[in-house]
Amino acid sequence: DQQVKQNSPSLSVQEGRISILNCDYTNSMFDYFLWYKKYPAEGPTFLISISSIKDKNEDGRFTVFLNKSAKHLSLHIVPSQPGDSAVYFCAASGRGTSYGKLTFGQGTILTVHP
Amino acid sequence: GAVVSQHPSWVICKSGTSVKIECRSLDFQATTMFWYRQFPKQSLMLMATSNEGSKATYEQGVEKDKFLINHASLTLSTLTVTSAHPEDSSFYICSARDFHSFTEAFFGQGTRLTVV
């Protein structure tokens, strides 16, 4: 039972354009969502997060949007850079003691072409 | 962000032997640490939650006698893979939650285990 889903295994974008990575979840108890960037044989690096009480959070080139009614979130990267090429995971967390206990999506491989 | 150090970064061991992986929070106290496993081209799957001073909580399907977790201090958790088999070969990653933070956890660099 995949509670967090990233339905696009890969995404290819031209440098300077916008990258949009999508994520859907099924568990209504999730109330905190995160995006991580990961390279092979390395641990995930935290990018940006959003609480369920918000619908948007922005940090530099990264913006995360949350649509609670649709149980959908997306990560926008603009402008995209070749250094952004990596695997992107969305993750979700519940309340209280479940914070830090993350359920991950399958990941989306982002390739940004020069 | 906070720093979590995981050691070793890679290890090769023979079937039947045990391997210990360490996870340290370097600049914060981690009351809770988490151990994940990632198989090739798959997502990270939570194996267990490690709580300082108490027994770990294992996810369904994870053998607690095979994956021994010890969290003896606020900065160190260890995962020991006992009697390793080739199917235990995987990428193991720990994360730690800052005692004073109730949001994200920070990840170690991961350990590539190969059992031959």
Side-chain angles (χ1 to χ4, degrees):
Chain A
D1 177 28
Q2 189 77 27
Q3 297 186 62
V4 178
K5 298 180 183 179
Q6 292 174 256
N7 292 317
S8 297
S10 63
L11 174 67
S12 183
V13 172
Q14 200 73 28
E15 180 179 8
R17 298 289 187 101
I18 185 171
S19 295
I20 300 176
L21 299 112
N22 293 301
C23 179
D24 298 293
Y25 62 97
T26 58
N27 190 339
S28 57
M29 297 302 290
F30 290 144
D31 73 344
Y32 197 75
F33 305 90
L34 310 92
W35 284 94
Y36 285 87
K37 177 181 179 181
K38 187 180 182 299
Y39 296 109
E42 293 184 14
T45 301
F46 171 74
L47 285 175
I48 192 169
S49 62
I50 188 167
S51 164
S52 61
I53 62 174
K54 295 186 176 183
D55 54 18
K56 177 182 175 181
N57 188 27
E58 193 172 353
D59 184 2
R61 296 186 299 116
F62 302 94
T63 303
V64 56
F65 295 91
L66 175 63
N67 182 333
K68 280 189 67 179
S69 60
K71 292 190 175 69
H72 176 84
L73 63 153
S74 61
L75 173 68
H76 293 211
I77 306 173
V78 57
S80 301
Q81 301 172 353
D84 295 329
S85 298
V87 180
Y88 287 77
F89 288 95
C90 74
S93 174
R95 298 181 178 89
T97 56
S98 293
Y99 272 128
K101 179 178 177 178
L102 301 175
T103 301
F104 283 86
Q106 308 95 312
T108 297
I109 301 171
L110 173 65
T111 304
V112 181
H113 298 283
Chain B
V3 179
V4 176
S5 176
Q6 192 172 335
H7 179 81
S9 56
W10 61 270
V11 58
I12 300 173
C13 71
K14 291 184 177 181
S15 289
T17 61
S18 295
V19 174
K20 180 185 284 188
I21 303 170
E22 293 187 348
C23 181
R24 294 180 183 272
S25 56
L26 297 185
D27 53 0
F28 66 98
Q29 292 182 326
T31 53
T32 307
M33 291 185 174
F34 304 89
W35 288 95
Y36 295 82
R37 178 168 56 185
Q38 184 186 26
F39 290 108
K41 298 185 179 180
Q42 293 188 25
S43 184
L44 287 76
M45 299 298 293
L46 179 67
M47 298 174 65
T49 301
S50 170
N51 298 299
E52 187 267 335
S54 64
K55 290 183 178 180
T57 304
Y58 291 82
E59 296 298 302
Q60 191 173 9
V62 178
E63 298 176 61
K64 62 180 181 180
D65 293 330
K66 180 166 187 63
F67 298 100
L68 300 179
I69 291 172
N70 183 277
H71 193 157
S73 76
L74 284 171
T75 59
L76 173 65
S77 175
T78 60
L79 168 67
T80 302
V81 183
T82 62
S83 187
H85 290 276
E87 56 264 32
D88 298 325
S89 298
S90 186
F91 191 60
Y92 293 86
I93 313 171
C94 71
S95 73
R97 201 187 90 190
D98 189 333
F99 181 77
H100 297 290
S101 168
F102 297 96
T103 56
E104 70 270 17
F106 298 94
F107 284 84
Q109 309 94 314
T111 298
R112 169 71 61 193
L113 170 64
T114 302
V115 185
V116 298

